[in-house]
Amino acid sequence: MGKTDMQTIKYLICLFALLVVLITIFQSETNTYPSNGVINWKGQDWYLMDGKSDPGDNYWNKTGAWIDNQNRLHLTVVKDKGIWNCTTLMSQDTYLYGTFTWTVASPVYTFDKNSVVGLFTYLNDSQELDIETTRWSETEGNQLWYSVQPAKIEGNTQGYQVPLSITGTNTIYKIEWKPTYVRFTSMQENGEIIADFNYTNVSGIPQQPENVMMNLWLLAPPSDGKNIELIISDFTITNE
């Protein structure tokens, strides 16, 4: 091999190494962060709450969500200057009926006992369809909940104890909202059902357009003192 060939090979190796570095930098810079409390994901704007309010009388962070280079949405609970800041997003659009499907990448059934993950539709506190993963600060018991608000009405809430073998990683959650029923379904990635509840009390089913909301919040400071991050890898709405 001649000197010229060796120089060419060295040049190509250096060029390849530089290309790898540039790709890595580019990928890290494709993360998307909120602008003035708004982030665009899955074809619409999502508005982030700020200030202090319910649920949980929490502090809310309008920069607490971001989108990674795989187009996955991240919600956070972060301690900043001694204050725990939670995250809530509300959709730009409202919907009357439809099927709302979330795919969650995080092991939500192993999250801190004082945390709550909410995937829901919302008009007001009495017209709301909820899927929540939480232990409600208990060390044992149900981790998955379905509710048609007001939850205090008998038959409007169902809780489920999920086997320890299911951590919640790569799980799918659906709310199928129709005029005569609401069906809540949670399943594993392979399609195996975790819990399914069909609500048929027509008088309790919301009959007005609602926003879609997602949140990660606290009942009390995390028992382990650590920040929490929720990754939602996909979300779809169908009107069939």
Side-chain angles (χ1 to χ4, degrees), residues 4 10 19 28 45 59 64 75 91 100-101 108 130 156 192 195 225 228:
T4 301
K10 289 180 180 178
L19 181 61
S28 67
D45 287 339
Y59 289 93
L75 281 69
S91 67
F100 308 84
T101 306
V108 289
D130 291 318
N156 277 23
E192 185 174 343
I228 306 171

Side-chain angles (χ1 to χ4, degrees), residues 79-98:
K79 191 175 186 180
D80 181 31
K81 299 178 181 177
I83 295 175
W84 289 99
N85 292 285
C86 303
T87 306
T88 284
L89 295 93
M90 176 181 286
S91 67
Q92 163 193 326
D93 297 330
T94 59
Y95 303 90
L96 178 59
Y97 313 129

Side-chain angles (χ1 to χ4, degrees), residues 104 108 111 115-119 131-134 215-217 230:
V104 175
V108 289
F111 276 15
S115 68
V116 182
V117 172
L119 309 171
I131 296 177
E132 293 168 305
T133 61
T134 180
N215 58 20
L216 177 61
W217 55 282
L230 168 69

Side-chain angles (χ1 to χ4, degrees), residues 151-170:
K152 64 182 180 181
I153 295 176
E154 185 177 355
N156 277 23
T157 297
Q158 295 286 331
Y160 301 86
Q161 188 163 9
V162 179
L164 294 177
S165 59
I166 302 175
T167 65
T169 304
N170 297 325

